Amino acid sequence: MENLNTENSVGTFNFVGGETAALDEKPVASNDVKRTSTSPNVQPQIPSDSAPFVVLCGPPASGKSMVLKSLASYLYKSGLGYTISANTTLLNTEKYQVDCRDFEEIIAKTDEKMPNTVDYLLADIIDGRGNVVAHFLEAPGEDFFNLTKSLQEPNIPFKNYLDKIAQITPNKQRKVVYIILLDLDSTPSFRNNPALRMKYEQKMINLYNRYVLHHPSKVILLYNKVDLPQNGLWANTSGVSNLSAIFANAKEFYPNLFFKKRFLFGDIENYTFLPFCTGTYPDDGSSYTASGPVYPASLWEKIVKLW
């Protein structure tokens, strides 16, 4: 299998389909994605320390929870000396405290999925000396792309806590890695709904312009679920066999998310691209089989390099 550490690989791929789908200008019904939302009056309390943040960005059902589970489980079992602790100060609600306790149990279990009812979850990565080296944040997909208000996207503003993450004080910016999920195959399908997909692109461009373009922050474009049949010619749960084809496929669908910064002597790519697979899931949803460690290991390596 091909090493996933190749950055910004480019290859050729004759893409057929996708963009020929009819534009669907109807908002997505709220019951398409079932979740339990935290009260809008409860505001996340962002830690004031200087530790970097990793923010998982994507619409509901794009796989943020399981990417977090995969990454946390890898670090928990890697022997690299890290411990993982759910940060109980983010939200002062009973449900959040229960989610924190459940998370610390789930990351130790290979076959247990993250529950779909998790709204917010902040995980602290702690080194062998007891220092918090990073915060991982999963937030509701609606905070990044509201499927029930898709016609109004990307005009819906981002939540205030994202501004707080970007700054430690008004004069000092925090290092942040934004992991933007490029999932195409969740319900509703971004693969078959180009209108919805373009709205998501624009919302993520707005995120880039607000939090990355003039900040010391970075972007990882994470092409999730690359093991699915339509992507499986190039990848499975053990690794990737054709990274350049996967890169070309992702860029075909999301051309405007491959960000570049313009400099005097030319444009420089301002993203890191990685394919990802969390595992395989049975139809009954009872459990799952985790993918090989190559995916979370490569993701963690990239995150560390971007800091």
Side-chain angles (χ1 to χ4, degrees):
M1 288 295 175
E2 188 171 342
N3 189 330
L4 300 190
N5 291 335
T6 303
E7 187 169 338
N8 301 334
S9 300
V10 181
T12 58
F13 172 62
N14 295 322
F15 175 75
V16 179
E19 294 301 332
T20 60
L23 296 183
D24 181 2
E25 287 297 332
K26 297 179 181 180
V28 179
S30 60
N31 59 3
D32 284 341
V33 180
K34 298 178 180 179
R35 59 188 301 116
T36 302
S37 298
T38 299
S39 168
N41 296 323
V42 179
Q43 298 299 320
Q45 301 301 307
I46 302 304
S48 60
D49 60 52
S50 60
F53 257 77
V54 177
V55 181
L56 291 158
C57 310
S62 57
K64 298 186 303 299
S65 293
M66 290 307 297
V67 171
L68 175 60
K69 147 82 174 179
S70 177
L71 193 53
S73 293
Y74 164 73
L75 291 175
Y76 177 82
K77 301 171 183 176
S78 65
L80 296 175
Y82 296 110
T83 57
I84 317 296
S85 177
N87 189 311
T88 59
T89 68
L90 182 72
L91 287 175
N92 186 23
T93 65
E94 182 179 355
K95 180 183 182 305
Y96 181 73
Q97 303 306 313
V98 171
D99 287 342
C100 287
R101 292 194 296 270
D102 290 346
F103 171 73
E104 295 189 353
E105 294 179 3
I106 288 171
I107 61 173
K109 298 177 181 178
T110 302
D111 61 348
E112 189 164 337
K113 299 189 298 182
M114 289 282 287
N116 293 330
T117 57
V118 168
D119 289 328
Y120 293 94
L121 206 148
L122 184 65
D124 295 341
I125 312 302
I126 303 167
D127 65 16
R129 293 173 293 181
N131 300 315
V132 176
V133 297
H135 301 288
F136 289 170
L137 177 69
E138 186 206 350
E142 290 87 353
D143 287 2
F144 299 100
F145 189 81
N146 195 318
L147 294 169
T148 65
K149 301 177 181 178
S150 60
L151 292 180
Q152 286 76 46
E153 295 286 6
N155 298 320
I156 299 173
F158 290 105
K159 301 293 185 180
N160 290 338
Y161 68 84
L162 290 171
D163 290 333
K164 293 179 181 179
I165 286 173
Q167 293 186 329
I168 304 169
T169 70
N171 300 316
K172 187 175 181 182
Q173 295 169 343
R174 191 196 306 261
K175 293 180 180 178
V176 185
V177 175
Y178 297 92
I179 299 177
I180 297 178
L181 272 71
L182 304 184
D183 169 47
L184 292 165
D185 301 297
S186 297
T187 301
S189 175
F190 279 32
R191 183 182 299 275
N192 298 318
N193 192 327
L196 195 64
R197 188 171 67 248
M198 286 186 286
K199 298 276 188 185
Y200 176 60
E201 269 194 308
Q202 186 57 55
K203 189 61 180 290
M204 292 299 101
I205 289 170
N206 287 358
L207 181 143
Y208 173 82
N209 290 337
R210 183 171 182 84
Y211 298 116
V212 180
L213 184 59
H214 302 295
H215 294 252
S217 302
K218 304 293 183 181
V219 168
I220 293 177
L221 300 177
L222 198 70
Y223 195 1
N224 196 26
K225 307 178 184 179
V226 292
D227 62 308
L228 292 181
Q230 50 267 46
N231 306 320
L233 295 176
W234 316 299
N236 57 34
T237 56
S238 298
V240 168
S241 60
N242 193 336
L243 180 60
S244 57
I246 292 175
F247 177 90
N249 181 242
K251 197 169 184 179
E252 182 77 30
F253 280 103
Y254 292 104
N256 298 309
L257 293 189
F258 289 76
F259 307 106
K260 293 185 178 182
K261 276 189 176 181
R262 179 158 292 180
F263 292 92
L264 181 62
F265 300 106
D267 296 341
I268 296 178
E269 292 168 337
N270 197 35
Y271 62 87
T272 295
F273 174 80
L274 277 177
F276 205 81
C277 168
T278 58
T280 56
Y281 300 79
D283 293 337
D284 62 8
S286 58
S287 62
Y288 86 113
T289 302
S291 66
V294 61
Y295 292 105
S298 296
L299 179 56
W300 177 245
E301 181 180 343
K302 289 299 183 188
I303 289 170
V304 172
K305 284 184 177 179
L306 289 176
W307 286 331

